[in-house]
Amino acid sequence: MKPPVITPEIVQAILPFVILALGATAITMTGIWKSKRGALLSLIVLLISAWKLGPLVEGGPTITWAGAIVADRLSMLLSAVLVCSGLLTVLIARPVLRRENNDRPEFYGLLLFSLSGMLLIVSTTNLLVIFLALELLSLPLYILCGYNREDARGGEAALKYFLLGSFSSAIFLYGTALLFGATGTIDLAAMVEGDRLLSITGALLVLSGFLFKVGAVPFHMWAPDVYDGAPTPVTSFMATSVKVACFGVLLRLFALAGEAGGPFALLMRGENMGNVLWWIAVLTMTVGNISALTQSNIKRMLAFSSIAHAGYIFLGLIPGSGSVDVRGVLYYLIAYVFMTTGAFAVVAALSSRDRGREVTGVERYAGLGFRRPYLGLAMTVFMISLAGIPPTAGFFGKYLLFSSALDRGLTPLVVIAVLNSALSVYYYLRPVVVFYMRDTDRPVQVDDSITLKLAVFIGVVCVLWGGFAPDLGSLPGVPTILGWVEASAAALP
Amino acid sequence: MGILSQLIFLPAITALVLLLIPRLPEKLSRLITFAVTVVVFFISVQLLGDFAGTGAFEYEERASWLPSLGISYHLGIDGISLFLVLMTTFLSPLAYLSAWKSINKRVKEFSILYLLLQTGMIGAFVSLDLFLFYFFWELMLVPMVFIIGVWGGARRIYAAMKFVLYTIVGSLLMLVALLFLVRYAAGVNGYVSFDFEDLLRVSIPARGQMLLFLAFGLAFAVKVPLFPFHTWLPDAHVEAPTAGSAILAGVLLKLGTYGFIRFAMPLFPDAAHAMAPVIAILALIGIVYAALVAMVQQDIKKLVAYSSVSHLGYVMLGLFVFNMTGTVGGIFGMVSHGLTSAGLFLLVGVIYERRHTREISEYGGIARTMPVFATMFFLVTLGSIALPGTSGFVGEFLVLVGAFRFSPLYATIAATGVVFGAVYMLWMVRRVFFGPVTKEANRKIPDMNLRELAVIIPIVIGIIVMGVKPAPILDRMESAVSVHLERMGITEIVEAGGADHSTVEHASTEGD
């Protein structure tokens, strides 16, 4: 077999990833002389990566390289979203780490390593590369969860995440092995139906690995503790980027399976075991929402809410009578990144540490809405968006997912999802209620750093942009979110 | 920009401007908001000028919004929505004026929400694209929740949450039904469109119609509120600040009934016919039950709140008897109830500001200390109990006539509601205003001031003018209603309606 040639196009396509990986290495090195410029350096690296990514998002041919790298518009859009999420995370992390006297370049190095893993995972169809990327994105996260050494809960979170995460990686790898045994290939695009039992088992195990990462029921048990224990910027990063990356893979996986058949198509058609995905969607959103109802700690609440959102996204992955709803899932992921990161930015601005423990009870926010009008407004926008009320990106995301699910004949599922989002309004409005409708004589300290404000501002602008004008096609020069999403969706079969 | 767009955007832009100016003096934000609501009213009056009343949509505006999803910015009004829009723009400055003194904390925020609420209400009344309608429908929700939850009474948070949860369950199911409808229509029409007129052309199989009607109907029934979905209403009304209650009762409830007549009924005519007995019976239960409950209330505001449930029952009954008289009466009743209920809430606010209690037993004999107030209250009460010569009479009389043609039994039951209505309102008036002054605090309550009179006098004039001279309004409604009835598969000669309002006018003059 001839070794595949490295063309300039391939270099261009993997350049954003390479920049991130090299940047991560360099930034980690600066830790030797205790540099305080980790945030700045990582912002520069991310911006360069985004700059290289920009033209690829707007267009460009699909490039595949030895089945290991697939650079199409889908992977580029997902990469762009991931880089955005990374940028926002750095903006949130810097003031929080400064405040806690913990601003070390290693944090940003690890963050970029994880991000480079995410960029890799969304641009491949090779199960082994996926595994490699999965480890590359997970290992830094395990460390980041326990980044704050004084916080015992952070340590607990890290250990828990590490143990369960390695377990799920092992299961994923086992599934890969079975699939290889059944089909004789590890390239998803080339997989055909092999031995039935082996195929189904392998596909289920591979799927379980991802279900774990996105926190889908019944693999969600780790999520609340880990999200709660990790430092807020890390939580925000995990809740958004990891989901984008893993749903990106699932999207590709199911879209390919829908087209070419293979082991995952067996799973999707659900001849043997009923529709597994259907039940995962229902359970994930319902369990997420019901558990979120009673949370008074806002980080736990957002953790459960992120589980619920994973459930809504699964709506787009169920083919029903049609095919996978790439457009809806992509749009939802973008909306989800901005609204959730925004909410976490507000949480980060308002949290403080009490003897190492991060304090994030909702009750502390009493009366803040009027003392800090813009912060209050931003939080209201994020919560309304998460609840799926117009005029926000969250509403349009749900709208696209639900309407295409109806097209594919999934009416009962949509009704369940809608009742779930009605339920979610109750807990999303609670922070808003506390912000505006309660008062306190012990005002909480607000972090006023400019980068946090910037992160919140970007979040609000994107959420409202996605809500009012996801489709501003008639104005020249204004990019359209829907346009991007549709072009990327077209990249898949 | 067309008139309708001006009505929608003027408040919204003002709200944005207010938001962006930090540390605005309270007085200035009050003045700006009030001025804008007044300007909006005067702009809306222009609608009457060129209104032809042909039954087709007028003042139409179309612009593309989200073309790839089949969503457009399509506005227009007909005889059904015209007066509801006017009522909204008429009540908005008055209710805001009533809050001049009582809303004294966070005035700017209140004004912003109030203006957004106005945008949502007007937008919902004039949207002819169902997605746009849904957009405005939800847009109203958020400001109202805040107005109740921030400026409301002791149990405001509970009331606000109850309001939002009731509303959202209904409206989300409506969204699903809407998506389903659009999908079906796209299959028939060959293109995706949320436009009301495009959807109207599609006839849907009976079973599907029923489910869709129920989903739409639930959203609207919660808003109306139709018995048994009314339980959020007393809480929300009692806890909301005066201006909020007035807008809630005056305008927001009408969006429920408007939703039925504009969207749910014409889009799903067969289902509407099939469900008519059920809805009519629920409306009758609401009329009688709410009147009985109102009778035993100790709290004036709660009493007025229950009276709304009862009066909206008439409107629903009128809409679902499927004849010209009943439907016109129902729509007229919406406008009339907008004035009377807002008037009553604003008046209750007046004494609440002075005595900080709404218990009926805390008052008594205040007609002596507050003669002007008592007069105004009595006039609005007369409108509410449908005395001939007031707007309430025209609406309820037409509904009863229409119901009688549909089923004499229904009309008889509904008529008992009129009697009960008179009982609870007049009984309350007697206990509050007449008899000896028992409480020391009531001896020196100052009477209404000029600002309060400026709020209430236009409403009283409206009630009387609409009662004495309903013909210009009824005329403008008729052709739109006959188009509506045609869509429902009923052809009725307009003369019948014409005959009816001569009856009304005859009765009105006698009443004078």
Side-chain angles (χ1 to χ4, degrees), chain A residues 421-492:
Chain A
S421 42
L423 192 65
S424 74
V425 171
Y426 178 77
Y427 64 83
Y428 285 129
L429 279 187
R430 189 153 45 186
V432 179
V433 164
V434 178
F435 256 71
Y436 288 99
M437 302 175 196
R438 298 242 171 82
D439 226 331
T440 179
D441 41 357
R442 287 195 306 152
V444 64
Q445 197 65 36
V446 183
D447 192 328
D448 264 327
S449 59
I450 186 82
T451 56
L452 263 178
K453 281 183 184 159
L454 188 61
V456 171
F457 180 73
I458 294 174
V460 170
V461 168
C462 290
V463 165
L464 291 180
W465 176 25
F468 275 110
D471 195 18
L472 267 184
S474 46
L475 296 180
V478 180
T480 89
I481 302 181
L482 264 181
W484 287 336
V485 166
E486 265 158 19
S488 309
L492 283 178

Side-chain angles (χ1 to χ4, degrees), chain A residues 370 374 377 380 384 390-391 395-396 399 403 406-407 411 418 422 426 429 432-433 436-439 468 470-471, chain B residues 19 65-68 106 109 131 134-135 138 142 146 149-150 156-157 161 164-165 172 176 179-180 183 194:
Chain A
F370 290 110
Y374 294 116
L377 182 70
T380 311
I384 285 179
F395 166 71
F396 259 103
Y399 164 82
S403 69
L406 283 179
D407 286 344
T411 315
V418 156
Y426 178 77
L429 279 187
V432 179
V433 164
Y436 288 99
M437 302 175 196
R438 298 242 171 82
D439 226 331
F468 275 110
D471 195 18
Chain B
L19 180 72
W65 180 23
L66 304 170
S68 68
R106 288 150 194 170
E109 288 82 355
F131 190 90
Y134 183 80
F135 184 86
E138 293 279 43
V142 181
F146 275 97
V150 178
R156 58 183 192 274
I157 295 178
M161 288 308 272
V164 75
L165 288 177
L172 281 172
V176 176
L179 296 177
F180 207 91
R183 170 178 162 264
F194 279 86

